[in-house]
Amino acid sequence: MFDRTRAGDASEASPRFHVLLVGIDAYPRVDPLYGCVNDVDALEALLLDRLSVPADSITKLVAPHPGSSRRPRLPEGEPTSENLRAALEALAGEGVRPGDRVFIHYSGHGTQVLPRGTRTAREALVPVDALAGGELLFDHWINDVLRRIAARTDDLTVVLDCCCSAGATRSAWRPRESAVRFCSIEELQMLPSVSSRSGGEARAGLFASFDPSDPGFLVVASAQSGEAASEGKTAGGVRHGAFTAGLLDLLAAESDERLRVLRWADLWQNLRARVTSAFPGQHPCLLGRSERRLFGGPFRRQDPGYAITREGERYRIHAGTMVGLTAGAKVAVYGPSPEFFPPLHSPEDRAARRGLLQVESATASSALASSVGAAFVLDEAARGRLVAPGKGDALVVGLDPFDADLSRWLSAEASLFSVAAVSAHGEREVEAVVGRAPDGRFWIGDDVHGFGAGASGDQAPLAWVPAGDRAALVQGLLHHARYKLPLRLVRRCRDWPGVLRVRVLDARDVGRLDLEELADPPLPEAEPDPDGRYRYRLLDGQPVCFSVENRSSEPMYAQVLNCASSGRVEILGTTQLEIAPWRRQTFWMSGHLGRAFPCRVSAGRESNVDRLVVVGTASPEVDLRFLRVKESFAEAIGRSTREMMPDEEAPAERWTATLVTVEIVRGIGGP
């Protein structure tokens, strides 16, 4: 298992607001914008009038066009690079206490440049004086200061209504009377080397340094890294950023009381739909937990599940055939509570369901479904989970030895798997095997773990179940069905055969590399398994990183998942990281360049066999965070309750995936 950091829950202890609003229209040496100041003026009014945020808690840096007729309500500064740095550094200082609510909104230009002496493009925000004596605010500095703010308080929200990719200006979907919040920086001689300001740790991209499931705060971006963030006129004729306009429109319909507790999960699907319908090449993204409140405050973590929206008389499930939602599959629908899904098919589960859907048709990433029984009201933050697979998609469970009585009982208890006998010739056309040890305990295994359990040299089973505890056995197999979903992706993703090349790199010498080398490090590949059973053999504690190469002529959005021996499914590095054609990207822990993943052998085992699944898609909309499984097999088996992310033409939906199996062993004396 690869170690990862974890963030705590938000807390509230005499919270104070700290708000930074930045809007830049009047750029002197690049294309001007016309909706950024309107964005922050509207947010200023909302914060003052509807949320009663004290005026002295708001810092406002704006650059309006000369002669504008606006009437500012608060003192305003100029959004120069010096003032922006000072405002952000102040939020990382002692004036912010634990529990305080920090809200940052930036509307303006973003850019991507290649600084002198580097081979890696860097993203940056563009202050008003960036090309007139000031400087760009590069990704590595922005990400560093955000982490320092998050060290002061765990209630931080950052909204970026800008774009940061050099490809963002190519979109032909942009309506007339609109603009793109990207400026091309041609005068590269004016730009400093990134390494001169990095302070010992570089990070690639404004969004690449954050744990996609929970960086400890929330980052909301108006567009994916490779897309345009547009602005245009609203129905009332006022110029705004497309994302901010959609957000303000949705908030206008909410009561003041609800506005104070509104979560991003409550409006995210509607907000994305509004933006993308107006600008088809723009897909907002959210890094962090959508359960967080828009303007801060205590929140409760929850299982994400499938996002669901209403389409006329039917329902759109934002997951598809790649994760088993084929025709005939049934999905239970839940509201915002309970936070965590109860054990499947338990009385608590059935009581919590708001409705049941059956899939009629599906694409790789979405499904259209109708209600089973009476129609029901769909909550804004509705979540779904699979309760019955489509035809041919049930997990095939083999019994070894076959037990007819146990087979009948298991088949009647759960619909997510079917039961079969294991071939007498050892050819196991099954995905999970249930065996029985001499002491009466059941064991659960698969093609890597547990076949021939107990024989010398074989991998230990994935899970042990107490003798005679059939209910625990069912829970273990239901957990296995979730655990198996990423592994099934490898078989299903056949649109781009051979375009992904994945290597595990030995990062023990990472400290000797220059910062500019870390995006594509010249590190050796990890040692192969000398027995030839797996691709690599790693040592307990050995640091590694993962290199993914796109061998195609199209951009690819990639993410790396680890199906660990414990039964957990982990997301490694940044989710949906864009990889340019014929380029490589390296996945580091939480996106920090140079921060390796330490390999670990689970307690009670002599070795782990973990399976890395790398998924690549052509669509920036695909989000596989619902595949994450936080519980181990032992936790799932032993629990009853739980208390615990186009240019001229829209790209075709294409998928590819590859599998790398690594063994992690306990070494003598460490790595």
Side-chain angles (χ1 to χ4, degrees), residues 593-613:
L593 296 188
R595 182 176 294 181
F597 295 90
C599 305
R600 295 297 181 202
V601 176
S602 300
R605 286 180 175 267
E606 290 303 314
S607 66
N608 281 5
V609 176
D610 287 7
R611 287 167 282 191
L612 303 176
V613 175

Side-chain angles (χ1 to χ4, degrees), residues 630-653:
K630 296 186 70 173
E631 304 91 357
S632 67
F633 274 105
E635 290 166 340
I637 289 170
R639 69 159 189 182
S640 58
T641 60
R642 296 174 57 205
E643 299 177 355
M644 306 220 333
M645 251 225 196
D647 292 321
E648 289 72 17
E649 195 171 295
E653 185 174 359

Side-chain angles (χ1 to χ4, degrees), residues 153-229:
T153 178
D154 54 8
D155 201 339
L156 168 62
T157 301
V158 182
V159 180
L160 300 175
D161 199 342
C162 61
C163 51
C164 299
S165 169
T169 58
R170 296 196 304 264
S171 176
W173 291 102
R174 197 163 62 251
R176 297 179 64 183
E177 297 187 353
S178 67
V180 167
R181 292 179 172 182
F182 174 87
C183 67
S184 178
I185 304 296
E186 302 294 343
E187 302 180 44
L188 300 187
Q189 70 274 11
M190 300 180 62
L191 302 176
S193 169
V194 170
S195 61
S196 69
R197 302 192 62 86
S198 57
E201 185 181 66
R203 302 180 176 96
L206 283 169
F207 318 129
S209 75
F210 305 134
D211 179 336
S213 56
D214 190 1
F217 52 95
L218 191 84
V219 179
V220 182
S222 62
Q224 296 280 348
S225 181
E227 296 178 337

Side-chain angles (χ1 to χ4, degrees), residues 538-592:
L538 309 173
L539 296 177
D540 185 31
Q542 179 178 347
V544 297
C545 59
F546 311 108
S547 173
V548 180
E549 183 177 356
N550 175 10
R551 294 183 170 187
S552 78
S553 59
E554 301 178 35
M556 179 187 299
Y557 296 88
Q559 50 199 67
V560 181
L561 301 97
N562 178 44
C563 296
S565 295
S566 64
R568 294 185 172 94
V569 177
E570 306 162 320
I571 298 175
L572 303 182
T574 306
T575 187
Q576 289 301 86
L577 183 63
E578 183 178 1
I579 306 178
W582 308 107
R583 296 290 297 274
R584 289 193 297 261
Q585 287 283 357
T586 302
F587 286 73
W588 299 94
M589 179 183 283
S590 298
H592 289 239

